[in-house]
Amino acid sequence: MPAISVTHLSKRVSDATGELVILNDIDFTVQAGETLAIVGASGSGKSTLLGILAGLDVPSEGKVELQGVDIFALNEDGRAIFRKDHLGFVFQSFQLLTHLNALENVMLPLELRGDKKARELAEEMLARVGLSSRLQHYPKYLSGGEQQRVALARAFVTEPPLLFADEPTGSLDNSTGEAVMQLMFKLNRERGSTLVLVTHDLSIAARCGRTLTIAGGHLQQD
């Protein structure tokens, strides 16, 4: 059974000028443990596709199965529960909670699933990303690279079978972005999760086992 199966997926939106087709009849599968890069020009729909895969957006047509579960057969609450149990997500803009410090941000997904070792596991994960000395720092006191490392720790700490990353280096300078990507791929190899990565950087995409290109709302398999 594939880790991810996408069938006849389309996304359309309407505005004052009429209907805009963002994604058109997308089909692909991703095997467990595979690393996949989704690339395409700005506005091509790659981030929309990733949002749909995570159940954060809803398609106009089609099916997405994650770990054999048709996620759009679930209601919004059901999809949120599924994400909590199966998904890690790394955003370009970090999406850390500003009123929580680094440790509390990483503890949160563990606490939501009722893990009694939330603090211990979060501390261990922050040590893995080199932030043992920054546990009590709030996001506004962390650099962009440090914030993204906290975000990586939060995504990996629950050991999800699926990890999605949307332009994870897009807000970082080149050297910091390279360090973050090395860390993300290292953690992913250690945890054996299935990684789907959206990026505009072809050198990053080349590190993945396979690349899919979105162009004009259509999927081109490289």
Side-chain angles (χ1 to χ4, degrees):
M1 181 180 63
I4 302 170
S5 179
V6 177
T7 309
H8 298 308
L9 190 72
S10 296
K11 178 68 176 182
R12 299 181 295 272
V13 296
S14 298
D15 59 19
T17 62
E19 186 175 72
L20 174 65
V21 178
I22 300 174
L23 298 169
N24 187 34
D25 200 24
I26 303 290
D27 289 276
F28 66 93
T29 60
V30 185
Q31 300 303 317
E34 189 176 2
T35 57
L36 173 71
I38 300 174
V39 302
S42 178
S44 62
K46 57 187 185 295
S47 290
T48 299
L49 175 57
L50 194 68
I52 291 174
L53 294 183
L56 299 170
D57 195 0
V58 178
S60 301
E61 295 171 353
K63 178 186 288 190
V64 174
E65 290 183 306
L66 304 179
Q67 307 287 115
V69 176
D70 181 353
I71 62 170
F72 295 107
L74 306 173
N75 61 22
E76 188 172 349
D77 289 341
R79 291 195 297 274
I81 292 169
F82 184 89
R83 281 193 297 271
K84 173 175 66 70
D85 294 335
H86 297 275
L87 291 180
F89 204 111
V90 181
F91 298 89
Q92 175 179 342
S93 55
F94 319 134
Q95 296 292 328
L96 301 178
L97 295 177
T98 58
H99 64 286
L100 300 181
N101 62 32
L103 179 60
E104 291 165 341
N105 265 285
V106 179
M107 287 175 61
L108 184 60
L110 295 165
E111 291 175 328
L112 289 174
R113 73 178 191 183
D115 198 314
K116 297 184 183 303
K117 294 185 176 180
R119 186 181 185 90
E120 177 185 340
L121 293 171
E123 288 179 347
E124 289 176 359
M125 196 68 226
L126 283 164
R128 290 283 295 107
V129 302
L131 292 176
S132 290
S133 64
R134 311 289 274 175
L135 302 183
Q136 303 304 321
H137 287 67
Y138 289 87
K140 67 179 180 180
Y141 298 115
L142 299 172
S143 69
E146 288 172 334
Q147 289 185 63
Q148 193 60 297
R149 281 189 280 159
V150 174
L152 285 178
R154 182 181 60 187
F156 278 101
V157 75
T158 59
E159 300 191 5
L162 300 169
L163 181 71
F164 296 153
D166 187 7
E167 299 280 12
T169 63
S171 298
L172 306 175
D173 62 70
N174 288 338
S175 61
T176 304
E178 172 62 21
V180 165
M181 289 309 304
Q182 287 184 9
L183 178 60
M184 188 174 78
F185 281 113
K186 181 180 180 180
L187 291 171
N188 194 66
R189 286 193 301 270
E190 291 175 355
R191 301 300 170 108
S193 53
T194 303
L195 172 64
V196 179
L197 170 70
V198 162
T199 183
H200 65 278
D201 188 331
L202 296 182
S203 67
I204 292 175
R207 300 183 189 185
C208 294
R210 185 160 58 109
T211 300
L212 301 180
T213 302
I214 301 288
H218 293 272
L219 183 64
Q220 303 172 349
Q221 301 205 32
D222 300 337

